[in-house]
Amino acid sequence: MPRKAGLSRLLPLLLLLFFPFAQVQANDYLDELIQQARQQRLADSQEWYDLIHYRRGFEGENVFSQADSPNFFNAENGKYNPEAELEATLAAFFSPVRETDKRQNPQCAFIARYHWLKSKLHFDPTRLPEQECRRFNNWYQAINPDQITLIFPAAYLNNPSSMFGHTLLRVDMPNQDERTRLLSYAINYAAETTETNGAIFAVKGLTGGYPGFFSIMPYYEKVKEYSDLENRDIWEYQLNFTHAEIRRLLEHAWELGPVRFDYYFFSENCSYQLLTLFDVARPGINLSQAFPAWAIPSDTVREVLNRKGLLKKAVYRPSSLTLLQHRLDQLDDGEQELALSLSQGELQADASSVTNLPEQSRAQVIESAYDYLQYQFNTGEWERDTAASRSLNLLRARSRVPVKQSVPPLPTPSHRPDQGHATARLALYQGTLEGNAITDLYVRPAYHDLMDLDAGYQHGAQIDFFDLHVRHLHEQDKTRLESFTLVDIVSLTPRNRFFDPISWRISAGAERTPLTEGKGEPLVFSVRGGGGPTYSLGEHQLISLMLEGTLLADDALPSGYAPAVGPSLHWLWGSESSRWKFQFSSRWQAYRTTLQRDEVEYRLQSNLALDKDLSLRLSLRAYGESEDPAEEAMLGIHWYF
């Protein structure tokens, strides 16, 4: 006993004597590692820039990280100094901190950095012991990664953050099929906000007003959100990444878990941030560098798939609404009326009008009624008890019909979103205005209008941002800015006996507008919007009638503003497979307050797609005051890039 007590008293003293020696050894080895890193210029390498999300300023000299959380950096000035951050990171790896439920050793918190630096500097484990990262290892084993799939839910105009579409990653386990992949995990990046006001979201989203975070969640939760609640079709692109690359991607995703990035709607958005994961996974792929100014989801998907050999397989996952509409399309008018009556409880499945149908038709009608009832329940149109009772009766009736499959499978669309036209556009027109020659130049960074080729896009939808229109008046030898469109969004969704959506449009920008005599045609800020029903006239035609309002604002106006209201008519002919598209539109606006006049616009347009990214467009237009509208005829070529 006395001997053991003596050893216990000596142990602290021995540790105190040994610690300075161990610290000196650690400092010596750290100095060696720093010298090796400097000799290899690791801080200037693209791999290090990718790991810390460094970007160069517009002049190419100033360096900054797009990460905005202080805890992402080990050096005080690590956000702006790659070398200081690398050396501080090496120093942090010597930390003796043991992992707990609330704290990680830096080797584990920055595990992708650790393994990259280890591969470059070949750490001596006797001088820099490797820490056991139990939390990461358990997480990685639970995910059990075998394949990475890029997920693209299609555009959803009723959600400002998703009107261009969205991308996320799915981490597939070994030996899964298309159904069991719902049980995989998804890596998502999104703005953290509960904002539902589109205007507020747009302003804050454009200016980095929201924090953006990476998150990992079960994939079926995202499918339910997109497919069942928002009725968005989903495209799944299975990618050819090696297991080593997948591990690097997940190690970096682990590092980014608690890290904030300022969310920018057009640039540092969901799609851009996912590309930074690919850059770390496969050094040299440099996907994020292809989008220095803005990143449209469909463009980022296209950029990924342009890398030779990266796409393994594309899978189409239709939304619940798409499947329902396909089922309803198989019914004739009489069968659709029966399905509607069954779903509403106005008719029972044992009614003679149902039982007298051929078995195949009866199965289709009952299944359609059931699916439509489920759709209405999911959208809140029926109480649970009512929907459950009616659904049970329909299922019982369907079980008595000896037909296995009543509807042919839904065909995959002929074009994927990545196969559509590029989103930036340059257009050059030549024509006449009131008999005088004019030349127009349009530059649009994003994204798609009603007359563009529909392949890969949503038919009847338009989203234009930052469209710049410059006009040269040959007779006056004068060039001027004709208009600048901040945003122009149109959603034309046809009604039928099952669905009654409201079509709508909203636009804002500056445009040349003739005011009172002597005021000329100044650039006037304008906001237009309206809504109304749209109907389908055959397979390829949409016709829409809206009530629209206009607000002009300019110092040259009496009281500084001028409101107007009136009807508009839009007729659109074309489809996903149509190279020819036609549109006729008319609009009448009555100014009855600060201005006393009526304005009209009649426009006929025709577009011929010569190629996916090249088209010819003819535009005939009469516009201005209703008593004497100006006449314009233009022929132009559109190049998409």
Side-chain angles (χ1 to χ4, degrees):
M1 286 293 290
R3 198 172 169 190
K4 288 185 178 179
L7 286 174
S8 65
R9 286 194 296 269
L10 283 173
L11 186 58
L13 180 60
L14 291 172
L15 289 174
L16 287 174
L17 292 172
F18 176 75
F19 182 75
F21 175 71
Q23 190 65 39
V24 169
Q25 281 194 319
N27 290 339
D28 287 345
Y29 189 43
L30 173 60
D31 290 340
E32 291 180 29
L33 293 175
I34 288 175
Q35 288 304 315
Q36 292 178 42
R38 289 177 178 175
Q39 290 171 4
Q40 296 182 42
R41 299 180 62 86
L42 294 183
D44 296 328
S45 69
Q46 188 60 51
E47 291 103 316
W48 182 247
Y49 271 49
D50 290 337
L51 282 165
I52 315 300
H53 294 250
Y54 285 126
R55 296 294 180 268
R56 295 191 180 277
F58 288 112
E59 297 181 358
E61 295 183 0
N62 297 328
V63 175
F64 65 96
S65 172
Q66 292 175 330
D68 296 298
S69 291
N71 61 0
F72 186 64
F73 306 100
N74 291 292
E76 186 174 347
N77 61 340
K79 183 176 175 70
Y80 305 100
N81 192 322
E83 186 172 57
E85 179 58 26
L86 188 147
E87 294 175 4
T89 299
L90 284 172
F93 289 160
F94 286 86
S95 169
V97 168
R98 294 291 182 183
E99 184 176 78
T100 67
D101 291 341
K102 296 182 179 179
R103 189 175 182 183
Q104 297 184 83
N105 184 279
Q107 291 184 20
C108 305
F110 306 110
I111 192 167
R113 298 188 210 181
Y114 174 79
H115 284 131
W116 180 74
L117 286 168
K118 180 182 177 182
S119 72
K120 298 296 182 181
L121 300 174
H122 308 291
F123 296 153
D124 183 346
T126 64
R127 303 176 72 185
L128 177 54
E130 183 163 329
Q131 300 292 324
E132 182 183 4
C133 302
R134 282 193 293 267
R135 284 168 56 184
F136 171 80
N137 290 332
N138 291 338
W139 174 80
Y140 189 84
Q141 291 170 10
I143 292 176
N144 191 17
D146 181 65
Q147 177 180 265
I148 293 294
T149 298
L150 177 61
I151 307 297
F152 180 80
Y156 180 57
L157 292 184
N158 290 326
N159 184 339
S161 66
S162 300
M163 62 175 57
F164 291 112
H166 181 63
T167 57
L168 63 153
L169 300 182
R170 190 183 67 211
V171 186
D172 298 326
M173 300 179 187
N175 302 318
Q176 288 185 308
D177 58 29
E178 303 310 329
R179 291 178 300 172
T180 59
R181 286 194 176 97
L182 288 171
L183 303 177
S184 299
Y185 285 90
I187 300 175
N188 188 53
Y189 175 83
E192 190 175 85
T193 175
T194 57
E195 182 61 63
T196 57
N197 185 298
I200 295 176
F201 181 91
V203 171
K204 297 185 73 172
L206 289 171
T207 58
Y210 293 115
F213 291 95
F214 284 90
S215 60
I216 297 181
M217 64 194 70
Y219 179 56
Y220 67 81
E221 291 184 6
K222 302 304 292 183
V223 170
K224 182 172 181 60
E225 174 186 344
Y226 294 134
S227 176
D228 295 345
L229 301 183
E230 295 183 351
N231 299 311
R232 299 164 67 179
D233 295 342
I234 297 174
W235 284 90
E236 303 174 348
Y237 301 93
Q238 299 172 16
L239 304 178
N240 275 312
F241 280 108
T242 67
H243 286 96
E245 291 170 338
I246 293 172
R247 183 176 180 90
R248 279 197 296 271
L249 187 151
L250 289 173
E251 285 178 348
H252 192 48
W254 176 267
E255 292 180 335
L256 297 176
V259 177
R260 167 195 168 127
F261 293 80
D262 290 341
Y263 180 91
Y264 290 89
F265 184 65
F266 281 111
S267 54
E268 296 177 47
N269 55 24
C270 62
S271 298
Y272 173 84
Q273 295 293 7
L274 292 184
L275 298 183
T276 66
L277 296 181
F278 291 155
D279 289 345
V280 170
R282 181 174 291 181
I285 198 170
N286 299 334
L287 285 165
S288 64
Q289 294 181 42
F291 300 94
W294 64 84
I296 304 298
S298 58
D299 285 344
T300 64
V301 173
R302 190 178 293 112
E303 188 69 23
V304 170
L305 302 187
N306 281 342
R307 298 301 195 267
K308 187 176 180 180
L310 195 51
L311 177 64
K312 181 186 297 183
K313 181 182 178 183
V315 176
Y316 174 59
R317 192 182 291 274
S319 71
S320 299
L321 180 59
T322 299
L323 290 171
L324 172 59
Q325 190 62 63
H326 172 66
R327 183 180 291 280
L328 294 173
D329 288 343
Q330 311 306 310
L331 307 179
D332 60 31
D333 284 346
E335 291 168 344
Q336 285 189 1
E337 284 293 345
L338 289 175
L340 182 61
S341 298
L342 285 172
S343 68
Q344 306 304 298
E346 300 168 355
L347 185 70
Q348 298 303 310
D350 58 0
S352 60
S353 55
V354 178
T355 58
N356 289 338
L357 291 171
E359 288 184 347
Q360 183 75 18
S361 299
R362 196 189 331 161
Q364 289 182 354
V365 167
I366 295 173
E367 288 179 11
S368 299
Y370 174 81
D371 287 349
Y372 182 60
L373 178 59
Q374 293 303 304
Y375 168 82
Q376 289 189 302
F377 170 69
N378 289 332
T379 56
E381 295 187 43
W382 292 109
E383 296 291 336
R384 178 178 295 275
D385 291 345
T386 301
S389 174
R390 203 172 294 163
S391 297
L392 183 59
N393 290 334
L394 290 171
L395 289 174
R396 286 172 176 163
R398 176 62 181 90
S399 68
R400 294 191 289 268
V401 184
V403 174
K404 289 185 177 180
Q405 184 175 352
S406 65
V407 177
L410 176 71
T412 300
S414 59
H415 292 82
R416 306 190 305 255
D418 62 283
Q419 295 172 326
H421 66 75
T423 55
R425 186 183 70 188
L426 182 67
L428 182 65
Y429 281 84
Q430 183 67 42
T432 61
L433 174 63
E434 294 291 271
N436 298 316
I438 58 174
T439 301
D440 284 354
L441 176 69
Y442 291 85
V443 181
R444 182 193 73 184
Y447 149 82
H448 176 77
D449 70 32
L450 292 175
M451 295 299 292
D452 290 336
L453 188 64
D454 274 338
Y457 289 84
Q458 182 181 347
H459 182 57
Q462 170 176 303
I463 309 175
D464 271 357
F465 272 92
F466 306 140
D467 197 353
L468 183 69
H469 175 196
V470 176
R471 170 167 288 179
H472 181 71
L473 305 165
H474 290 263
E475 185 180 33
Q476 303 174 34
D477 193 21
K478 181 171 69 174
T479 301
R480 69 184 189 184
L481 176 63
E482 195 70 15
S483 67
F484 177 67
T485 302
L486 288 172
V487 59
D488 188 0
I489 305 175
V490 181
S491 176
L492 302 181
T493 308
R495 294 184 165 203
N496 55 40
R497 56 170 55 92
F498 293 94
F499 309 103
D500 56 353
I502 296 293
S503 295
W504 55 274
R505 72 174 302 152
I506 182 72
S507 66
E511 60 186 46
R512 295 281 174 185
T513 303
L515 299 178
T516 54
E517 190 172 343
K519 297 290 186 179
E521 293 183 334
L523 277 172
V524 174
F525 181 76
S526 67
V527 177
R528 290 191 172 91
T534 295
Y535 298 95
S536 178
L537 303 179
E539 186 178 354
H540 303 303
Q541 300 181 63
L542 296 177
I543 186 165
S544 175
L545 180 64
M546 295 189 188
L547 180 64
E548 294 190 24
T550 299
L551 178 64
L552 304 180
D554 190 86
D555 290 341
L557 288 164
S559 303
Y561 67 94
V565 67
S568 68
L569 175 70
H570 307 269
W571 174 75
L572 178 66
W573 183 94
S575 67
E576 180 182 0
S577 59
S578 302
R579 287 192 172 273
W580 278 101
K581 293 183 78 173
F582 299 91
Q583 180 181 208
F584 172 76
S585 61
S586 65
R587 184 168 59 90
W588 176 72
Q589 294 282 279
Y591 291 87
R592 291 294 183 269
T593 55
T594 55
L595 287 180
Q596 297 292 324
R597 71 183 190 202
D598 293 340
E599 284 192 356
V600 297
E601 180 181 29
Y602 307 102
R603 190 168 195 172
L604 178 64
Q605 295 184 84
S606 173
N607 189 82
L608 172 62
L610 304 176
D611 190 36
K612 180 186 69 172
D613 292 322
L614 192 67
S615 69
L616 287 175
R617 190 172 298 187
L618 173 67
S619 174
L620 304 176
R621 183 181 176 216
Y623 65 99
E625 292 193 54
S626 59
E627 295 179 356
D628 186 25
E631 296 181 354
E632 175 187 288
M634 305 294 293
L635 178 65
I637 187 165
H638 288 221
W639 174 51
Y640 304 82
F641 60 97

